[in-house]
Each structure stands twice: as C-alpha cells, then as structure tokens.
PDB file of all heavy atoms in Angstrom:
ATOM      1  N   ALA A 951      -6.481  -3.285  -6.020  1.00  0.00           N
ATOM      2  CA  ALA A 951      -5.592  -3.324  -4.854  1.00  0.00           C
ATOM      3  C   ALA A 951      -5.192  -1.913  -4.452  1.00  0.00           C
ATOM      4  O   ALA A 951      -5.211  -1.558  -3.264  1.00  0.00           O
ATOM      5  CB  ALA A 951      -4.363  -4.175  -5.150  1.00  0.00           C
ATOM      6  N   ASN A 952      -4.844  -1.093  -5.424  1.00  0.00           N
ATOM      7  CA  ASN A 952      -4.457   0.293  -5.168  1.00  0.00           C
ATOM      8  C   ASN A 952      -5.626   1.068  -4.563  1.00  0.00           C
ATOM      9  O   ASN A 952      -5.464   1.817  -3.603  1.00  0.00           O
ATOM     10  CB  ASN A 952      -3.999   0.957  -6.468  1.00  0.00           C
ATOM     11  CG  ASN A 952      -3.328   2.283  -6.226  1.00  0.00           C
ATOM     12  OD1 ASN A 952      -2.127   2.338  -6.041  1.00  0.00           O
ATOM     13  ND2 ASN A 952      -4.095   3.364  -6.221  1.00  0.00           N
ATOM     14  N   GLY A 953      -6.813   0.878  -5.125  1.00  0.00           N
ATOM     15  CA  GLY A 953      -7.999   1.558  -4.611  1.00  0.00           C
ATOM     16  C   GLY A 953      -8.295   1.170  -3.170  1.00  0.00           C
ATOM     17  O   GLY A 953      -8.657   2.012  -2.343  1.00  0.00           O
ATOM     18  N   LEU A 954      -8.121  -0.104  -2.846  1.00  0.00           N
ATOM     19  CA  LEU A 954      -8.312  -0.547  -1.467  1.00  0.00           C
ATOM     20  C   LEU A 954      -7.240   0.047  -0.550  1.00  0.00           C
ATOM     21  O   LEU A 954      -7.512   0.379   0.603  1.00  0.00           O
ATOM     22  CB  LEU A 954      -8.311  -2.077  -1.389  1.00  0.00           C
ATOM     23  CG  LEU A 954      -9.528  -2.758  -2.024  1.00  0.00           C
ATOM     24  CD1 LEU A 954      -9.317  -4.266  -2.099  1.00  0.00           C
ATOM     25  CD2 LEU A 954     -10.809  -2.419  -1.268  1.00  0.00           C
ATOM     26  N   GLY A 955      -6.037   0.194  -1.083  1.00  0.00           N
ATOM     27  CA  GLY A 955      -4.972   0.850  -0.325  1.00  0.00           C
ATOM     28  C   GLY A 955      -5.316   2.298  -0.009  1.00  0.00           C
ATOM     29  O   GLY A 955      -5.098   2.766   1.113  1.00  0.00           O
ATOM     30  N   ILE A 956      -5.875   3.004  -0.976  1.00  0.00           N
ATOM     31  CA  ILE A 956      -6.262   4.401  -0.764  1.00  0.00           C
ATOM     32  C   ILE A 956      -7.385   4.491   0.273  1.00  0.00           C
ATOM     33  O   ILE A 956      -7.384   5.376   1.138  1.00  0.00           O
ATOM     34  CB  ILE A 956      -6.646   5.074  -2.093  1.00  0.00           C
ATOM     35  CG1 ILE A 956      -5.383   5.250  -2.939  1.00  0.00           C
ATOM     36  CG2 ILE A 956      -7.339   6.414  -1.858  1.00  0.00           C
ATOM     37  CD1 ILE A 956      -5.609   5.769  -4.335  1.00  0.00           C
ATOM     38  N   GLU A 957      -8.330   3.555   0.214  1.00  0.00           N
ATOM     39  CA  GLU A 957      -9.399   3.533   1.225  1.00  0.00           C
ATOM     40  C   GLU A 957      -8.809   3.321   2.616  1.00  0.00           C
ATOM     41  O   GLU A 957      -9.261   3.927   3.587  1.00  0.00           O
ATOM     42  CB  GLU A 957     -10.428   2.452   0.893  1.00  0.00           C
ATOM     43  CG  GLU A 957     -11.262   2.753  -0.337  1.00  0.00           C
ATOM     44  CD  GLU A 957     -12.031   4.061  -0.251  1.00  0.00           C
ATOM     45  OE1 GLU A 957     -12.648   4.333   0.798  1.00  0.00           O
ATOM     46  OE2 GLU A 957     -12.014   4.820  -1.244  1.00  0.00           O
ATOM     47  N   ALA A 958      -7.810   2.465   2.720  1.00  0.00           N
ATOM     48  CA  ALA A 958      -7.147   2.235   4.013  1.00  0.00           C
ATOM     49  C   ALA A 958      -6.429   3.505   4.484  1.00  0.00           C
ATOM     50  O   ALA A 958      -6.492   3.850   5.668  1.00  0.00           O
ATOM     51  CB  ALA A 958      -6.168   1.073   3.896  1.00  0.00           C
ATOM     52  N   LEU A 959      -5.772   4.200   3.567  1.00  0.00           N
ATOM     53  CA  LEU A 959      -5.101   5.453   3.927  1.00  0.00           C
ATOM     54  C   LEU A 959      -6.103   6.487   4.430  1.00  0.00           C
ATOM     55  O   LEU A 959      -5.823   7.214   5.383  1.00  0.00           O
ATOM     56  CB  LEU A 959      -4.341   6.011   2.719  1.00  0.00           C
ATOM     57  CG  LEU A 959      -3.064   5.273   2.335  1.00  0.00           C
ATOM     58  CD1 LEU A 959      -2.596   5.700   0.949  1.00  0.00           C
ATOM     59  CD2 LEU A 959      -1.977   5.499   3.369  1.00  0.00           C
ATOM     60  N   LYS A 960      -7.267   6.556   3.807  1.00  0.00           N
ATOM     61  CA  LYS A 960      -8.301   7.505   4.239  1.00  0.00           C
ATOM     62  C   LYS A 960      -8.743   7.222   5.666  1.00  0.00           C
ATOM     63  O   LYS A 960      -9.171   8.120   6.378  1.00  0.00           O
ATOM     64  CB  LYS A 960      -9.512   7.429   3.314  1.00  0.00           C
ATOM     65  CG  LYS A 960      -9.291   8.025   1.948  1.00  0.00           C
ATOM     66  CD  LYS A 960     -10.534   7.847   1.104  1.00  0.00           C
ATOM     67  CE  LYS A 960     -10.350   8.345  -0.299  1.00  0.00           C
ATOM     68  NZ  LYS A 960     -11.551   8.075  -1.135  1.00  0.00           N
ATOM     69  N   ARG A 961      -8.642   5.963   6.069  1.00  0.00           N
ATOM     70  CA  ARG A 961      -9.022   5.572   7.425  1.00  0.00           C
ATOM     71  C   ARG A 961      -7.813   5.559   8.363  1.00  0.00           C
ATOM     72  O   ARG A 961      -7.862   4.999   9.443  1.00  0.00           O
ATOM     73  CB  ARG A 961      -9.697   4.209   7.388  1.00  0.00           C
ATOM     74  CG  ARG A 961     -11.094   4.298   6.788  1.00  0.00           C
ATOM     75  CD  ARG A 961     -11.612   2.958   6.320  1.00  0.00           C
ATOM     76  NE  ARG A 961     -12.945   3.058   5.761  1.00  0.00           N
ATOM     77  CZ  ARG A 961     -13.239   3.513   4.552  1.00  0.00           C
ATOM     78  NH1 ARG A 961     -12.275   3.933   3.749  1.00  0.00           N
ATOM     79  NH2 ARG A 961     -14.485   3.579   4.123  1.00  0.00           N
ATOM     80  N   GLU A 962      -6.731   6.171   7.897  1.00  0.00           N
ATOM     81  CA  GLU A 962      -5.508   6.373   8.669  1.00  0.00           C
ATOM     82  C   GLU A 962      -4.771   5.087   9.020  1.00  0.00           C
ATOM     83  O   GLU A 962      -4.069   5.004  10.032  1.00  0.00           O
ATOM     84  CB  GLU A 962      -5.775   7.227   9.911  1.00  0.00           C
ATOM     85  CG  GLU A 962      -6.286   8.610   9.521  1.00  0.00           C
ATOM     86  CD  GLU A 962      -6.317   9.598  10.660  1.00  0.00           C
ATOM     87  OE1 GLU A 962      -5.782   9.299  11.744  1.00  0.00           O
ATOM     88  OE2 GLU A 962      -6.860  10.688  10.439  1.00  0.00           O
ATOM     89  N   TYR A 963      -4.906   4.074   8.157  1.00  0.00           N
ATOM     90  CA  TYR A 963      -4.068   2.886   8.280  1.00  0.00           C
ATOM     91  C   TYR A 963      -2.760   3.163   7.559  1.00  0.00           C
ATOM     92  O   TYR A 963      -2.714   3.924   6.591  1.00  0.00           O
ATOM     93  CB  TYR A 963      -4.749   1.664   7.646  1.00  0.00           C
ATOM     94  CG  TYR A 963      -5.911   1.131   8.443  1.00  0.00           C
ATOM     95  CD1 TYR A 963      -7.208   1.269   7.982  1.00  0.00           C
ATOM     96  CD2 TYR A 963      -5.705   0.478   9.649  1.00  0.00           C
ATOM     97  CE1 TYR A 963      -8.282   0.774   8.713  1.00  0.00           C
ATOM     98  CE2 TYR A 963      -6.763  -0.023  10.380  1.00  0.00           C
ATOM     99  CZ  TYR A 963      -8.053   0.127   9.906  1.00  0.00           C
ATOM    100  OH  TYR A 963      -9.092  -0.369  10.629  1.00  0.00           O
ATOM    101  N   ARG A 964      -1.692   2.521   8.013  1.00  0.00           N
ATOM    102  CA  ARG A 964      -0.396   2.631   7.342  1.00  0.00           C
ATOM    103  C   ARG A 964      -0.366   1.612   6.210  1.00  0.00           C
ATOM    104  O   ARG A 964      -0.664   0.434   6.416  1.00  0.00           O
ATOM    105  CB  ARG A 964       0.739   2.366   8.323  1.00  0.00           C
ATOM    106  CG  ARG A 964       0.831   3.415   9.427  1.00  0.00           C
ATOM    107  CD  ARG A 964       1.692   2.956  10.565  1.00  0.00           C
ATOM    108  NE  ARG A 964       1.082   1.739  11.118  1.00  0.00           N
ATOM    109  CZ  ARG A 964       1.714   0.870  11.888  1.00  0.00           C
ATOM    110  NH1 ARG A 964       2.970   1.040  12.203  1.00  0.00           N
ATOM    111  NH2 ARG A 964       1.104  -0.196  12.352  1.00  0.00           N
ATOM    112  N   VAL A 965       0.009   2.072   5.015  1.00  0.00           N
ATOM    113  CA  VAL A 965      -0.026   1.232   3.812  1.00  0.00           C
ATOM    114  C   VAL A 965       1.310   1.310   3.092  1.00  0.00           C
ATOM    115  O   VAL A 965       1.925   2.378   3.017  1.00  0.00           O
ATOM    116  CB  VAL A 965      -1.161   1.698   2.863  1.00  0.00           C
ATOM    117  CG1 VAL A 965      -1.175   0.882   1.575  1.00  0.00           C
ATOM    118  CG2 VAL A 965      -2.516   1.635   3.555  1.00  0.00           C
ATOM    119  N   LEU A 966       1.739   0.167   2.561  1.00  0.00           N
ATOM    120  CA  LEU A 966       2.909   0.114   1.691  1.00  0.00           C
ATOM    121  C   LEU A 966       2.521  -0.713   0.479  1.00  0.00           C
ATOM    122  O   LEU A 966       2.050  -1.838   0.616  1.00  0.00           O
ATOM    123  CB  LEU A 966       4.102  -0.522   2.402  1.00  0.00           C
ATOM    124  CG  LEU A 966       5.388  -0.674   1.570  1.00  0.00           C
ATOM    125  CD1 LEU A 966       5.906   0.687   1.118  1.00  0.00           C
ATOM    126  CD2 LEU A 966       6.449  -1.411   2.373  1.00  0.00           C
ATOM    127  N   SER A 967       2.688  -0.135  -0.703  1.00  0.00           N
ATOM    128  CA  SER A 967       2.331  -0.807  -1.943  1.00  0.00           C
ATOM    129  C   SER A 967       3.527  -0.818  -2.880  1.00  0.00           C
ATOM    130  O   SER A 967       4.159   0.214  -3.111  1.00  0.00           O
ATOM    131  CB  SER A 967       1.156  -0.071  -2.613  1.00  0.00           C
ATOM    132  OG  SER A 967       0.826  -0.686  -3.832  1.00  0.00           O
ATOM    133  N   ASP A 968       3.829  -2.016  -3.412  1.00  0.00           N
ATOM    134  CA  ASP A 968       4.961  -2.132  -4.330  1.00  0.00           C
ATOM    135  C   ASP A 968       4.822  -3.443  -5.097  1.00  0.00           C
ATOM    136  O   ASP A 968       4.116  -4.357  -4.650  1.00  0.00           O
ATOM    137  CB  ASP A 968       6.278  -2.121  -3.554  1.00  0.00           C
ATOM    138  CG  ASP A 968       7.450  -1.602  -4.358  1.00  0.00           C
ATOM    139  OD1 ASP A 968       7.333  -1.477  -5.598  1.00  0.00           O
ATOM    140  OD2 ASP A 968       8.508  -1.329  -3.751  1.00  0.00           O
ATOM    141  N   SER A 969       5.520  -3.542  -6.213  1.00  0.00           N
ATOM    142  CA  SER A 969       5.565  -4.827  -6.912  1.00  0.00           C
ATOM    143  C   SER A 969       6.462  -5.754  -6.095  1.00  0.00           C
ATOM    144  O   SER A 969       7.386  -5.303  -5.415  1.00  0.00           O
ATOM    145  CB  SER A 969       6.107  -4.667  -8.330  1.00  0.00           C
ATOM    146  OG  SER A 969       7.492  -4.392  -8.292  1.00  0.00           O
ATOM    147  N   VAL A 970       6.180  -7.040  -6.163  1.00  0.00           N
ATOM    148  CA  VAL A 970       6.976  -8.016  -5.408  1.00  0.00           C
ATOM    149  C   VAL A 970       8.443  -7.900  -5.802  1.00  0.00           C
ATOM    150  O   VAL A 970       9.327  -7.846  -4.945  1.00  0.00           O
ATOM    151  CB  VAL A 970       6.448  -9.454  -5.650  1.00  0.00           C
ATOM    152  CG1 VAL A 970       7.384 -10.486  -5.054  1.00  0.00           C
ATOM    153  CG2 VAL A 970       5.053  -9.605  -5.076  1.00  0.00           C
ATOM    154  N   HIS A 971       8.692  -7.838  -7.111  1.00  0.00           N
ATOM    155  CA  HIS A 971      10.065  -7.774  -7.613  1.00  0.00           C
ATOM    156  C   HIS A 971      10.796  -6.553  -7.052  1.00  0.00           C
ATOM    157  O   HIS A 971      11.927  -6.652  -6.557  1.00  0.00           O
ATOM    158  CB  HIS A 971      10.044  -7.748  -9.142  1.00  0.00           C
ATOM    159  CG  HIS A 971      11.389  -7.583  -9.759  1.00  0.00           C
ATOM    160  ND1 HIS A 971      12.323  -8.587  -9.776  1.00  0.00           N
ATOM    161  CD2 HIS A 971      11.964  -6.508 -10.376  1.00  0.00           C
ATOM    162  CE1 HIS A 971      13.418  -8.147 -10.377  1.00  0.00           C
ATOM    163  NE2 HIS A 971      13.224  -6.894 -10.748  1.00  0.00           N
ATOM    164  N   HIS A 972      10.147  -5.381  -7.114  1.00  0.00           N
ATOM    165  CA  HIS A 972      10.777  -4.137  -6.670  1.00  0.00           C
ATOM    166  C   HIS A 972      10.982  -4.137  -5.157  1.00  0.00           C
ATOM    167  O   HIS A 972      12.045  -3.736  -4.660  1.00  0.00           O
ATOM    168  CB  HIS A 972       9.924  -2.946  -7.108  1.00  0.00           C
ATOM    169  CG  HIS A 972      10.595  -1.634  -6.955  1.00  0.00           C
ATOM    170  ND1 HIS A 972      10.240  -0.742  -5.974  1.00  0.00           N
ATOM    171  CD2 HIS A 972      11.621  -1.063  -7.643  1.00  0.00           C
ATOM    172  CE1 HIS A 972      11.002   0.321  -6.063  1.00  0.00           C
ATOM    173  NE2 HIS A 972      11.849   0.159  -7.068  1.00  0.00           N
ATOM    174  N   LEU A 973      10.003  -4.586  -4.414  1.00  0.00           N
ATOM    175  CA  LEU A 973      10.108  -4.626  -2.961  1.00  0.00           C
ATOM    176  C   LEU A 973      11.269  -5.515  -2.517  1.00  0.00           C
ATOM    177  O   LEU A 973      12.077  -5.130  -1.673  1.00  0.00           O
ATOM    178  CB  LEU A 973       8.801  -5.133  -2.349  1.00  0.00           C
ATOM    179  CG  LEU A 973       8.802  -5.201  -0.825  1.00  0.00           C
ATOM    180  CD1 LEU A 973       8.196  -3.938  -0.242  1.00  0.00           C
ATOM    181  CD2 LEU A 973       8.014  -6.406  -0.353  1.00  0.00           C
ATOM    182  N   LEU A 974      11.357  -6.706  -3.110  1.00  0.00           N
ATOM    183  CA  LEU A 974      12.421  -7.640  -2.724  1.00  0.00           C
ATOM    184  C   LEU A 974      13.790  -7.159  -3.192  1.00  0.00           C
ATOM    185  O   LEU A 974      14.796  -7.367  -2.502  1.00  0.00           O
ATOM    186  CB  LEU A 974      12.110  -9.038  -3.256  1.00  0.00           C
ATOM    187  CG  LEU A 974      10.858  -9.687  -2.648  1.00  0.00           C
ATOM    188  CD1 LEU A 974      10.532 -10.984  -3.361  1.00  0.00           C
ATOM    189  CD2 LEU A 974      11.004  -9.881  -1.154  1.00  0.00           C
ATOM    190  N   LYS A 975      13.817  -6.503  -4.345  1.00  0.00           N
ATOM    191  CA  LYS A 975      15.084  -5.938  -4.834  1.00  0.00           C
ATOM    192  C   LYS A 975      15.577  -4.849  -3.879  1.00  0.00           C
ATOM    193  O   LYS A 975      16.760  -4.807  -3.525  1.00  0.00           O
ATOM    194  CB  LYS A 975      14.871  -5.370  -6.244  1.00  0.00           C
ATOM    195  CG  LYS A 975      16.134  -4.889  -6.924  1.00  0.00           C
ATOM    196  CD  LYS A 975      15.850  -4.513  -8.357  1.00  0.00           C
ATOM    197  CE  LYS A 975      15.999  -3.030  -8.486  1.00  0.00           C
ATOM    198  NZ  LYS A 975      15.699  -2.492  -9.804  1.00  0.00           N
TER     199      LYS A 975
END
C-alpha cells in the first residue's frame, strides 16, 4: 500500500496514508 502511495506521489497525485485508528483519533 505504501509503495503504491509513493508511485501515486511520483505522478503528482495527492496522497494521505495513515492507520485507521490514528486517522480517526
């Protein structure tokens, strides 16, 4: 998932990655 996020960033997409627990907290 992280690697796919980095690929998206390289293509200038906006990405937010977090654990569900941390994001909701």
Side-chain angles (χ1 to χ4, degrees):
N952 192 90
L954 291 171
I956 290 174
E957 291 302 315
L959 287 166
K960 288 178 184 176
R961 287 161 180 78
E962 299 191 9
Y963 287 110
R964 295 165 299 162
V965 177
L966 178 61
S967 178
D968 207 347
S969 71
V970 171
H971 176 73
H972 192 253
L973 181 95
L974 295 173
K975 186 173 112 183

